[in-house]
Amino acid sequence: MLHLSLALRNLRRNLRRSLLTAAAVAVGLSLMLFTVTFQHGSYDMMIRSAISAMAGHVVVQAPGWQQERDEALLVRDADAIQRDLQRALPDAIVIERVFLEGLLTSTQGSVGVSLEGVDPEGEGAVQDLPEQLIAGEWLDEDPRGLLIGAEMAETLQVEVGDKVVYMGQHLGHEVSSQMFRVRGVFKTGAAELDAFIAMAPLSATQELLGVPGAAHQISVHLDDARLSIHTADQVRGLLAGRDLEVLYWREALPELYAFIQLDRSGGDLMLAVIGLIITLGVVNTMLMSVLERTRELGVLLSIGMRRERVGWMIVQEGFALALIGTAGGVLGGLVLSWPVVTWGLDLGGAVGGESMEMGGAVMSSVLKGSWDPTRSAIYVLASVLITTAASFYPAIRAALLHPIDALRHS
Amino acid sequence: MSILSVRALSRTYHQGTQTIRALDGVDFNVDAGEFTALMGPSGSGKTTLLNLIGGLDRPTSGVVEVEGRPLRGLSPGALSDLRLHRIGFVFQSYNLIPVLSAYENTEFVLALQGVPAAERRERAMRTLAAVGLAGMEGRRPSELSGGQQQRVAVARAIAGDPALVLADEPTANLDSHTGAELIELMARLNADQGVTFVFSTHDPKVQEAARRVVRLVDGRIDGDEQRAP
């Protein structure tokens, strides 16, 4: 208590300098907490969006599909497996998908298309796409209904209700064709999706493939992403003995996961640089404080204060500074982050639309933060520890002072 | 009983190619209850001798014993403990902790010694009263005159009940009247409480109060004079 009381008074001695140093810690930590919250929210959105549109929390595919995307790599009894999995996982949404490449033609032109066969009801429940329709309606059981992107609609010069014809050659068969009627037009904001993706009911694409009941992917969608690995294990158990590959989302979307890791590492590096700059500032302040008090520290050593206690006193000054700065940083972090968590940050102006693509995932341009208690706690703890550690060198300098030299210091 | 024994004490410093002999074979003892002045001109070795006695510096050769315990061979921590418990210091320029009040400066040594809070309070208050600072306990050094600050320094030096108080030119920064008052205070503490003082001075007026005067010239003892109280 003696040291802490003296440490606090020493900090008050040059109040402006101490407050400025604590403020540097507070501002740095505020930025760190804001970044952590913003990153956590945007990664959540990215993962949710990518999982719903591109994979699932858990996917079942034929071995090799993940790498080759060869349409011949089918899950032959997909309808039956989907029913079994849905029965076994009543809280999840289990859906099938077929992916075909072909040509879509209207009276005004033609365009290469990636045609996805989906379960209208299940897909509608997991995708953001129903909210991104700018004309028409979401798919229903009508096997001739087709959803296309806005750019594709423009290229083909079609509107809702117009006829288009899909042509493709699948599994080595003759060229097959199918007439569809445009049921809806979506705009995701990602040019690639809006220009090349079309969606049709699963049954229509199975018919084009000529393999009833088959699909390229069965995806399981969960309420809680943290259950992904557990559910993947459960699905593996249910499908034991079958020649199928069961992946959870990180394995199914390796590019997205790598993007997030890279982005997070970049963020961490930036935060580390901020932390280093602040640490150097604290070291400088503490060193100046020690230098100014050299004579006084010499007196303490002369009257019998042990070297380690002198050093400990300086560390306590650093600790007090750390607590004050960190408390300010937590407050600042909450104030900065709260609006982003509550309302989000609208990047629409910057990206020129209501949605944008990040890491291959299409999501709203209004990025919302979300609290990340674990990482935030790590940064708060790191702030206290690093700021305190910044006083170690000045403390060692103080502890190693020679009393006589220190007493002569002016 | 001799509480301080200095034998054949030498201290040399090296400055470039020059060797400066600050102390050259000093011998003397101090008994408990003595009030001893170290006299001598600037550069005679007074401060060097006090630093060596207080364990702030290491001798080139010779022996210093405090209460029969040789300082040579003691670790820095053990020397700190010796200073904390057995030796009090009064410096020329007061050297109080500016952020602590007179009471806290006095109490600080007791806290370092691990004296319980209640006893600390009682002893610090009693010591401040003994140096004539009753009622000024809450004042910071900046709110005290030079003489008052040096009284706090004396209080800090004696609060821990040391065997020996070393005072290096304690009146040098004070005017003659205040200096005389301070020496009078030290003499009274010596007479009333038996505090052993060894203080350096080059002020002839101050030496008049001493009961023993040890004269140093060029690092050697040039005279050792006992006086009647």
Side-chain angles (χ1 to χ4, degrees):
Chain A
M1 279 309 289
L2 168 78
H3 294 91
L4 191 61
S5 161
L6 190 55
L8 288 172
R9 291 189 197 192
N10 282 330
L11 287 180
R12 278 214 304 264
R13 193 185 287 209
N14 195 329
L15 191 61
R16 186 163 39 174
R17 185 174 65 197
S18 298
L19 286 179
L20 278 173
T21 310
V25 174
V27 169
L29 181 61
S30 301
L31 285 174
M32 288 175 183
L33 293 179
F34 172 78
T35 306
V36 164
T37 307
F38 189 65
Q39 274 184 334
H40 192 246
S42 53
Y43 295 157
D44 259 4
M45 285 175 72
M46 218 183 283
I47 291 166
R48 243 183 296 125
S49 165
I51 284 174
S52 63
M54 296 157 70
H57 292 97
V58 178
V59 293
V60 179
Q61 299 161 164
W65 167 261
Q66 182 70 20
Q67 292 78 31
E68 296 169 30
R69 308 286 285 188
D70 179 348
E71 69 177 18
L73 295 170
L74 282 164
V75 180
R76 294 276 165 179
D77 49 352
D79 284 2
I81 292 174
Q82 185 271 336
R83 281 193 297 274
D84 290 347
L85 291 182
Q86 187 64 81
R87 243 195 319 276
L89 304 167
D91 294 333
I93 295 173
V94 185
I95 52 177
E96 296 166 72
R97 285 170 179 158
V98 168
F99 301 94
L100 301 177
E101 304 286 332
L103 193 70
L104 201 60
T105 308
S106 71
T107 54
Q108 300 297 316
S110 57
V111 65
V113 65
S114 179
L115 179 64
E116 290 183 17
V118 299
D119 162 25
E121 192 188 339
E123 198 76 31
V126 300
Q127 285 256 18
D128 292 334
L129 220 49
E131 290 144 32
Q132 292 167 329
L133 288 173
I134 55 170
E137 291 173 57
W138 181 248
L139 296 171
D140 62 6
E141 291 308 319
D142 175 8
R144 302 290 165 253
L146 186 75
L147 298 179
I148 59 172
E151 286 194 34
M152 186 183 283
E154 201 176 316
T155 306
L156 296 174
Q157 295 183 34
V158 293
E159 294 176 350
V160 171
D162 289 348
K163 288 179 189 171
V164 288
V165 175
Y166 172 84
M167 282 189 296
Q169 189 180 13
H170 302 296
L171 304 178
H173 301 145
E174 295 284 309
V175 173
S176 55
S177 64
Q178 176 69 58
M179 190 278 288
F180 288 99
R181 197 175 287 277
V182 176
R183 183 173 170 81
V185 177
F186 58 82
K187 187 173 182 181
T188 65
E192 200 178 318
L193 299 185
D194 294 343
F196 299 110
I197 298 285
M199 277 189 183
L202 183 68
S203 55
T205 52
Q206 286 173 330
E207 201 176 307
L208 282 164
L209 265 177
V211 188
H216 291 109
Q217 186 181 68
I218 300 162
S219 64
V220 180
H221 297 260
L222 306 169
D223 284 337
D224 186 349
R226 288 172 297 184
L227 297 174
S228 301
I229 295 175
H230 171 73
T231 307
D233 289 339
Q234 215 177 334
V235 172
R236 280 189 197 104
L238 289 166
L239 301 178
R242 296 187 191 226
D243 187 21
L244 292 170
E245 191 172 55
V246 179
L247 306 173
Y248 82 108
W249 73 268
R250 279 190 195 174
E251 298 164 326
L253 297 166
E255 296 87 359
L256 176 75
Y257 184 62
F259 173 85
I260 289 173
Q261 289 299 94
L262 191 68
D263 191 68
R264 184 173 278 160
S265 301
D268 285 347
L269 185 68
M270 188 193 77
L271 296 181
V273 170
I274 293 175
L276 181 68
I277 293 168
I278 292 166
T279 304
L280 289 176
V282 176
V283 171
N284 181 50
T285 301
M286 299 297 295
L287 266 180
M288 280 177 65
S289 166
V290 165
L291 186 71
E292 284 171 2
R293 287 183 288 149
T294 299
R295 190 186 177 89
E296 197 177 305
L297 295 170
V299 172
L300 294 177
L301 290 166
S302 301
I303 64 173
M305 196 169 185
R306 278 180 165 245
R307 294 184 178 282
E308 55 268 28
R309 292 184 86 164
V310 170
W312 180 232
M313 184 183 73
I314 304 295
V315 170
Q316 286 194 315
E317 287 180 32
F319 180 63
L321 206 56
L323 286 185
I324 296 165
T326 302
V330 169
L331 194 67
L334 287 172
V335 169
L336 274 179
S337 304
W338 185 72
V340 180
V341 172
T342 310
W343 297 298
L345 186 64
D346 191 353
L347 301 178
V351 299
E354 290 178 359
S355 50
M356 59 184 183
E357 189 185 344
M358 274 178 85
V362 177
M363 55 191 190
S364 165
S365 61
V366 180
L367 287 183
K368 274 195 160 190
S370 72
W371 305 113
D372 185 346
T374 308
R375 286 191 83 210
S376 298
I378 289 171
Y379 275 98
V380 168
L381 193 65
S383 169
V384 174
L385 292 180
I386 292 171
T387 309
T388 306
S391 65
F392 287 176
Y393 176 59
I396 290 168
R397 286 281 299 261
L400 292 181
L401 283 172
H402 193 282
I404 294 180
D405 295 338
L407 283 171
R408 286 188 191 131
H409 192 270
S410 56
Chain B
M1 189 189 83
S2 179
I3 56 167
L4 172 66
S5 175
V6 174
R7 292 196 300 276
L9 197 65
S10 295
R11 180 69 168 101
T12 52
Y13 298 101
H14 298 281
Q15 217 167 43
T17 54
Q18 265 194 320
T19 299
I20 298 162
R21 198 170 281 274
L23 279 184
D24 188 6
V26 169
D27 291 280
F28 85 111
N29 291 338
V30 173
D31 291 338
E34 276 194 19
F35 194 62
T36 303
L38 294 176
M39 286 291 295
S42 291
S44 59
K46 303 185 298 292
T47 299
T48 303
L49 180 57
L50 287 176
N51 286 342
L52 290 171
I53 294 170
L56 296 176
D57 196 6
R58 301 270 189 186
T60 308
S61 62
V63 173
V64 177
E65 288 179 359
V66 175
E67 295 182 308
R69 190 178 178 196
L71 303 195
R72 183 180 290 275
L74 290 183
S75 66
L79 280 175
S80 292
D81 289 347
L82 179 82
R83 287 197 294 272
L84 178 62
H85 294 279
R86 305 310 298 149
I87 301 174
F89 280 92
V90 179
F91 303 95
Q92 181 178 325
S93 46
Y94 329 136
N95 285 341
L96 299 175
I97 309 298
V99 292
L100 300 182
S101 66
Y103 167 77
E104 289 165 331
N105 264 288
T106 309
E107 187 206 24
F108 192 75
V109 171
L110 298 171
L112 288 178
Q113 286 180 342
V115 175
E119 187 185 339
R120 271 201 322 257
R121 178 160 185 80
E122 189 274 318
R123 281 173 64 179
M125 295 299 277
R126 180 158 43 87
T127 310
L128 282 170
V131 299
L133 289 176
M136 295 188 187
E137 298 88 352
R139 293 198 191 174
R140 294 263 177 103
S142 59
E143 297 164 332
L144 296 169
S145 69
Q148 288 168 336
Q149 286 187 58
Q150 199 61 309
R151 280 166 184 261
V152 176
V154 171
R156 180 177 66 184
I158 64 171
D161 198 17
L164 177 66
V165 174
L166 303 175
D168 188 11
E169 305 269 9
T171 60
N173 281 6
L174 303 175
D175 61 59
S176 57
H177 176 69
T178 314
E181 277 183 351
L182 185 84
I183 290 298
E184 195 181 313
L185 166 71
M186 286 164 55
R188 197 173 69 241
L189 290 169
N190 169 255
D192 296 350
Q193 299 183 16
V195 180
T196 307
F197 280 95
V198 176
F199 58 95
S200 66
T201 182
H202 56 255
D203 184 346
K205 284 185 186 167
V206 171
Q207 66 153 331
E208 286 169 14
R211 282 190 279 145
R212 180 183 174 192
V213 178
V214 177
R215 291 181 195 283
L216 277 171
V217 176
D218 295 335
R220 294 179 181 199
I221 291 186
D222 191 44
D224 191 343
E225 179 189 342
Q226 295 283 349
R227 294 176 171 187

